[in-house]
Amino acid sequence: MSRRPLLILDGVDKRYDSGEISVSALRGIDLVITRGEYVAIMGASGSGKSTLMNILGCLDAPTRGHYMLAGTDVAGLDDTDLAAVRNRFIGFVFQSFNLIPRTSAQRNVELPMVYAGIKPRERAERARAALETVGLGDRAQHKPSELSGGQQQRVAVARAIVTNPAIILADEPTGNLDTKSTGEMLDMLDGLHRSGRTIVLITHEPDVAARASRVVRLSDGRIVSDERQAVRGAA
Ligand SMILES: Nc1ncnc2c1ncn2[C@@H]1O[C@H](COP(=O)(O)OP(=O)(O)O)[C@@H](O)[C@H]1O
Ligand SMILES: [Mg+2]
């Protein structure tokens, strides 16, 4: 597998300004993530983890510095191009699942492909296959409220992978799950990693971070450690 840089943050600052108050959420972040890495981002609440994820996911832009995604400086892109890059390269998984209520699992998983302009028939087939991959082939017509938390998060994973993105960004994906569902979620991420996906996982749980091949720690908007570790994922 090639080891080219996929994500490069160079001197990134993020400041939130609201009226009199200014918060420096990220300060001088330099980070290079290569294709196929599985990186856990750790840090206390308020240390800047979600801000970092929003920038990596092109949901927000740095106040200073550069972000290169797959060779493109995203600072130069307008909102339309940014959305296209996001759709092409990135699949998101959030702590709160972020599924559309009163809409079937199947339809939730189809949505990213609607934005990508894929035809209905292919959308349906690919959504079905993604739901099979996460073990929910028999729940395609269920609405989020008819599924357990663990199942809802699996629908979210199916939605994240259905466009075949190179990168999975997961912000505390196990934060609302019980122990069993947490284990299933981490096994799924291991599988995606083995199949060549680049994974960036935000967590404050050491057991969860232990599954990654690299752990980056944030404190007060700065990287305070960056260590590689032996992968301890399920066989
Ligand atoms: N939209 C926002 N407006 C103002 N301040 C924010 C905003 N989002 C985050 N912050 C602040 O930035 C800092 C980092 O927040 P965040 O990235 O959410 O940290 P974490 O995910 O590690 O808990 C915190 O001090 C937080 O209050
Ligand atoms: Mg957060």
Side-chain angles (χ1 to χ4, degrees):
M1 194 186 299
S2 63
R3 291 288 161 198
R4 279 171 293 144
L6 185 56
L7 311 171
I8 303 175
L9 293 174
D10 178 19
V12 164
D13 292 352
K14 179 65 188 181
R15 208 179 50 241
Y16 294 108
D17 289 311
S18 46
E20 311 278 275
I21 302 162
S22 174
V23 177
S24 281
L26 295 176
R27 309 159 191 250
I29 299 287
D30 297 319
L31 182 66
V32 176
I33 297 177
T34 53
R35 237 169 249 276
E37 277 197 287
Y38 183 175
V39 183
I41 310 278
M42 298 195 75
S45 178
S47 58
K49 303 183 298 296
S50 293
T51 301
L52 179 61
M53 155 131 164
N54 289 344
I55 288 175
L56 290 177
C58 302
L59 296 167
D60 205 351
T63 311
R64 272 190 60 164
H66 289 281
Y67 174 32
M68 303 280 292
L69 168 57
T72 301
D73 188 339
V74 302
L77 303 182
D78 62 20
D79 285 353
T80 310
D81 287 341
L82 210 51
V85 165
R86 194 157 62 223
N87 211 293
R88 167 150 176 236
F89 287 104
I90 298 166
F92 293 96
V93 180
F94 299 96
Q95 176 172 2
S96 52
F97 319 142
N98 290 19
L99 299 177
I100 303 195
R102 291 183 291 281
T103 304
S104 68
Q106 168 91 23
R107 185 73 190 149
N108 267 283
V109 176
E110 282 186 25
L111 265 186
M113 295 184 287
V114 175
Y115 303 135
I118 294 166
K119 299 258 180 326
R121 193 196 171 113
E122 186 184 345
R123 282 203 309 255
E125 283 167 7
R126 285 172 60 177
R128 191 83 201 178
L131 285 166
E132 295 280 353
T133 301
V134 301
L136 287 178
D138 57 346
R139 295 288 196 279
Q141 298 315 318
H142 286 56
K143 299 183 176 70
S145 61
E146 299 164 346
L147 297 168
S148 71
Q151 289 171 333
Q152 289 181 59
Q153 194 61 304
R154 283 196 265 159
V155 174
V157 170
R159 182 184 56 187
I161 63 177
V162 77
T163 50
N164 202 22
I167 307 158
I168 306 284
L169 293 180
D171 191 352
E172 302 270 2
T174 62
N176 283 333
L177 301 181
D178 60 25
T179 311
K180 178 164 174 282
S181 299
T182 292
E184 290 169 357
M185 178 69 204
L186 294 176
D187 289 347
M188 272 190 289
L189 290 176
D190 287 346
L192 292 170
H193 179 224
R194 276 197 303 273
S195 73
R197 251 23 95 143
T198 304
I199 298 178
V200 181
L201 165 78
I202 291 177
T203 185
H204 59 259
E205 297 171 81
D207 288 357
V208 172
R211 305 284 282 256
S213 52
R214 177 178 171 194
V215 180
V216 172
R217 284 191 172 74
L218 286 182
S219 176
D220 206 14
R222 298 179 206 278
I223 293 178
V224 292
S225 75
D226 184 348
E227 291 170 351
R228 281 163 212 286
Q229 59 183 12
V231 177
R232 279 197 271 149

